[in-house]
Every structure is written in C-alpha cells, then in structure tokens.
C-alpha cells in the first residue's frame, strides 16, 4: 500500500449533518454567534465614538493631559472596532480558487492591525502627553477639573456597560468565547478603558488636591504602559494564529486516539493540525493501514475514517490522509534508500 494517498478533504456529502449545517452558516454569513459578536462590536464602537468626542472636548477645555490621553485611547479603540467589523465580514467569505482554505485568517490579520492601532494611537500618544505635561506644566481651573472628572465618570459608565455586554456574550459561549479575536479584542479594549479612565480620574483628583501636574503625567504614563502591554498581548496572539497555530495538545491527542481506534489503521505515523479560522481546522495524518487491503478498500476506509473524524470534531473541515507502508519505509530508511516517513501530505 506504499504510495497510495487519499489527500482530498472531506467532501460535503461525507460530512455529518451538523457539520454541513455549520458550513452553510459559514458561507452565507448567517451564523448567529457572529451576529451577536457584530452587535457587541457595534455597541463598543458607538460608545467609543461618543466618549472620544467628549474626552477631546473636555481635555481641550480643562487642559488635562490625562484626559487628552484617554481621548487618544478612545479614538484608537474606535478605529480598531472598524477593523473588527471588517474582519467579521471578510472572514465569512466562502473558499474560492485563489483561497481554497477560505478566509478565516482574515480575523487574525485585522486583529493584528487593531493591536498596532492600540500601540501607536493609544500608547505612544499617552506617553507623549505625559512628557508634555512634565515639560510645560498644566494649569487647570476648578471648573476645568469638574468638567474633566464629569466626562471621565460618564466614560467609565459607558465603557463599563460595553465591557459587561462583551463579558456576557463570552459567558454564553462557555470556554470558546475568548477564542474569537474580535470578542477578545473588545474585552481587552473595554477592560483597559475602564482601568485607564480610573487612572485618569485619580490623576486629575490628585492634581486638583496637590496642584502638582506630575500626578496627571504619571496617569498618562500608566495609561500608555497599559495600552502597550495590551497591544503586545493581542499582537502576539494574532501573530501566532497568522503563522499557523496547531490545535491544543488535548484536542490533538483526542484526534490521534480516534485514528488509532480505527480497526483498519495499524499505526499513526504523523499528525499535523492547523487552525484555519474560528471554526475551521486542517487535519493531516500519515497512517499505516493493516495488511491485506486492496486499493478499492483503501479508498472506502479513508472515506469512512474522514467521516468519523469530521463527525467527532466538526471544526475539522479539511482532512487529509496519506496512506503509507510504514514498515517498508523504515526498512528503506535503514538501508539508506529512502527518507523518513514523516512527510507532510500535499
């Protein structure tokens, strides 16, 4: 059986009904979960736009560097929500000739851009405001203090409401909620915004009490550092998914055990997985079948095995099996006549 390969992915006719239904939702964009995520992002976008304007006006009126830093933070968050909406729309496009594995990685790309936006527009501008405050000082009237604090309190309530909305949706998804880069970014942005607004309020209050602008400068530095850390975390995760991250070890082990449990499989010589999107995973296995199967039986067995894997792991919608004679390959390798059997199926 050496050299016999069945590398085509699972066809639609071979998928379990639940998997076919999930694929139809993916192709027509009607997935209910994505609809709820879109609403969550739109809520966050609306809140951030209103808050950004209020913070900018309040910052210019009061001359508060911490408030202006928070305005830049909200502008960055608003732009990032636009990126996330683009990700939700574009990642649901069906596979085509140019992109045979679909567009699921669009989510990770736009999430990376959102992380860059947080770093540049939020973090760097906050550091700039902090340095400007220390260099030039900042004089604020009592009315300016009150205006700034009032704006920040309203922003805190709005950001908190948006955060609760995102957390509620994640809770409804169970353990899979934080896998969605759009939801993860909204939670990170809103959580950071709540903490950042709190720091700005503390900085303004201490400035008002002591008359020392250093407190607001420190608040700006703290907000900038917070945004840089969040941007690094979101960017690192998006980078891992864009490069091509395998499924977690527990799920990979379950797939391997499922393959080993098939009576026609003598051994699993290699197993490779890669996340292609939120609900799309590539599974490539190199297997050695039991002796005595002819070519027609091999094809029937391969179809049944792929159907079994797709039924047990619905997100595994790209399944490739490379059938090999492991014993002959190892003997050839020992004789120096061939390479290792661990080659990736094509």
């Amino acid at each position: 059986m050496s050299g016999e390969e069945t590398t085509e992915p699972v066809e639609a006719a071979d998928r379990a009904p639940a998997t076919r239904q999930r694929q139809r939702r993916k192709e027509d964009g009607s997935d209910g979960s994505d609809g709820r995520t879109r609403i969550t992002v739109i809520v966050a976008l609306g809140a951030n736009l209103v808050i950004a304007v209020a913070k900018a006006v309040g910052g210019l009126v009061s001359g508060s560097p911490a408030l202006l830093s928070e305005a830049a933070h909200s502008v960055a968050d608003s732009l990032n929500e636009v990126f996330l909406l683009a990700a939700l729309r574009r990642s649901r496009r069906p596979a085509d000739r140019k992109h045979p594995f679909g567009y699921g990685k669009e989510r990770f790309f736009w999430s990376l851009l959102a992380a860059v936006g947080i770093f540049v527009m939020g973090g760097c501008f906050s550091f700039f405001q902090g340095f400007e405050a220390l260099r030039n000082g900042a004089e604020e009237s009592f009315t300016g203090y009150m205006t700034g604090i009032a704006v920040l309190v309203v922003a805190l309530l709005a950001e908190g409401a948006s955060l609760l909305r995102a957390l509620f949706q994640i809770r409804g998804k169970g353990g899979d909620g934080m896998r969605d880069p759009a939801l993860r970014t909204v939670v990170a942005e809103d959580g950071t915004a709540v903490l950042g607004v709190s720091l700005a309020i503390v900085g303004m209050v201490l400035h008002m009490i002591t008359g020392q602008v250093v407190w607001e400068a420190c608040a700006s530095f703290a907000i900038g550092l917070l945004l840089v850390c969040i941007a690094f975390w979101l960017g690192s995760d998006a980078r891992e998914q864009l490069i091509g991250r395998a499924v977690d070890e527990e799920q990979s082990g379950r797939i391997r055990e499922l393959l080993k449990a098939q009576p026609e499989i003598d051994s699993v010589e290699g197993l490779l997985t890669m996340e292609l999107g939120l609900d799309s995973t590539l599974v490539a296995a190199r297997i050695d079948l039991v002796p005595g199967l002819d070519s027609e039986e091999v094809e029937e067995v391969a179809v049944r095995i792929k159907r079994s894997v797709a039924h047990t792991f619905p997100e595994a919608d790209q399944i490739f099996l490379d059938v090999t004679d492991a014993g002959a390959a190892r003997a050839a390798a020992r004789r120096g006549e061939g390479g290792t059997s661990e080659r990736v199926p094509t």
Side-chain angles (χ1 to χ4, degrees), residues 115 118-119 227-237:
I118 292 174
F119 177 84
L227 292 174
V228 168
C229 291
I230 290 297
F232 180 79
W233 174 62
L234 291 174
S236 296
D237 190 75

Side-chain angles (χ1 to χ4, degrees), residues 208-248:
M208 181 175 64
I209 294 173
T210 65
Q212 300 295 318
V213 73
V214 67
W215 293 109
E216 284 205 64
C218 288
S220 292
F221 288 138
I223 292 169
L225 181 61
L226 183 64
L227 292 174
V228 168
C229 291
I230 290 297
F232 180 79
W233 174 62
L234 291 174
S236 296
D237 190 75
R239 171 183 171 273
E240 288 292 318
Q241 291 170 312
L242 282 172
I243 291 173
R245 185 168 64 187
V247 301
D248 60 76

Side-chain angles (χ1 to χ4, degrees), residues 23-254:
Q23 180 69 11
R24 286 195 297 271
R25 290 201 305 268
K26 178 179 178 180
E27 292 178 354
D28 64 19
S30 60
D31 192 297
S33 177
D34 258 16
R36 290 188 293 273
T37 300
R38 188 176 293 107
I39 292 174
T40 298
V41 175
I42 291 174
V43 168
L45 174 60
N48 280 317
L49 286 174
V50 173
I51 293 168
V53 173
K55 288 177 180 176
V57 173
L60 293 173
V61 170
S62 66
S64 167
L67 192 51
L68 289 174
S69 295
E70 272 300 301
H73 181 183
S74 294
V75 170
D77 286 352
S78 300
L79 180 61
N80 294 338
E81 258 89 59
V82 174
F83 287 157
L84 297 180
L85 288 174
L88 290 172
R89 180 178 63 85
R90 295 176 64 86
S91 66
R92 284 292 168 180
R93 290 182 296 172
D96 53 32
R97 184 181 298 275
K98 192 174 181 180
H99 297 88
F101 292 111
Y103 291 81
K105 287 184 179 287
E106 286 264 14
R107 291 205 187 203
F108 311 140
F109 168 74
W110 291 99
S111 295
L112 180 62
L113 290 186
V116 173
I118 292 174
F119 177 84
V120 175
M121 296 184 64
C124 293
F125 186 79
S126 295
F127 284 125
F128 171 77
Q129 283 296 316
F131 284 118
E132 283 293 298
L134 289 177
R135 189 178 68 173
N136 302 323
E139 295 295 331
E140 299 180 39
S141 65
F142 180 78
T143 302
Y145 284 123
M146 291 298 100
T147 300
I149 292 174
V151 169
L152 289 173
V153 169
V154 173
L156 184 63
L157 295 175
E159 297 285 12
S162 178
L163 177 61
L164 288 176
R165 158 81 196 189
L167 291 175
F168 180 78
Q169 185 177 348
I170 285 178
R171 182 180 179 184
K173 284 189 171 186
D176 290 337
M178 289 301 284
R179 289 184 62 247
D180 188 339
L183 268 181
R184 188 169 57 245
T185 302
V186 170
V187 169
E189 287 179 349
D190 289 343
T192 304
V194 168
L195 186 53
V197 169
S198 301
L199 290 171
I201 291 175
V202 171
M204 288 192 71
V205 170
L206 291 175
H207 185 188
M208 181 175 64
I209 294 173
T210 65
Q212 300 295 318
V213 73
V214 67
W215 293 109
E216 284 205 64
C218 288
S220 292
F221 288 138
I223 292 169
L225 181 61
L226 183 64
L227 292 174
V228 168
C229 291
I230 290 297
F232 180 79
W233 174 62
L234 291 174
S236 296
D237 190 75
R239 171 183 171 273
E240 288 292 318
Q241 291 170 312
L242 282 172
I243 291 173
R245 185 168 64 187
V247 301
D248 60 76
E249 292 184 5
E250 187 271 338
Q251 184 168 352
S252 179
R254 289 169 56 204

